[in-house]
Amino acid sequence: QWRAICVRSFMNGSDAQAQAVMSFFEEHCGPEGIGGGGAGALPQPLDGSLAVLLQTIGLLDAAGGPVHLDSDRYVALITARNAARSESHVLLLAARRARLVELL
């Protein structure tokens, strides 16, 4: 599900929920010394559906705080995010080519 969210974020910059998940990850879920540094109080409560999604993918704990990721898990999520970025570039290029073929 993480990779699908990443693809949604890269494919459709107006997908507010995917953008919110990516922002949450970058701001709150890095291991110490990287990104947000892990657990801590959130500046504002999260939207209910966003909180459920973040809990489902393992970025939010049951108490509603960010999960402190160990380095291996963080690297795995970054690797999946980068693969999703590559996948979205391929899909967007294919869509552009298809539109070009339609115009010709």
Side-chain angles (χ1 to χ4, degrees):
Q1 195 172 19
W2 170 249
R3 185 174 172 147
I5 290 168
C6 293
V7 169
R8 282 179 27 213
S9 173
F10 297 128
M11 292 289 292
N12 182 2
S14 64
D15 185 327
Q17 189 174 50
Q19 294 295 323
V21 169
M22 298 295 285
S23 293
F24 183 89
F25 172 73
E26 291 169 7
E27 294 171 15
H28 301 290
C29 293
E32 278 190 49
I34 302 174
L42 297 176
Q44 56 189 334
L46 296 171
D47 172 74
S49 62
L50 177 60
V52 169
L53 181 56
L54 289 167
Q55 286 178 334
T56 301
I57 58 179
L59 298 180
L60 193 68
D61 63 23
V67 171
H68 179 77
L69 302 174
D70 64 33
S71 295
D72 290 339
R73 176 112 190 275
Y74 183 75
V75 168
L77 291 173
I78 293 293
T79 300
R81 183 187 68 184
N82 291 345
R85 182 180 288 124
S86 295
E87 179 183 344
S88 66
H89 285 298
V90 169
L91 294 171
L92 289 168
L93 180 60
R96 279 189 221 118
R97 286 183 178 161
R99 283 193 302 264
L100 180 61
V101 167
E102 286 177 11
L103 291 173
L104 300 176

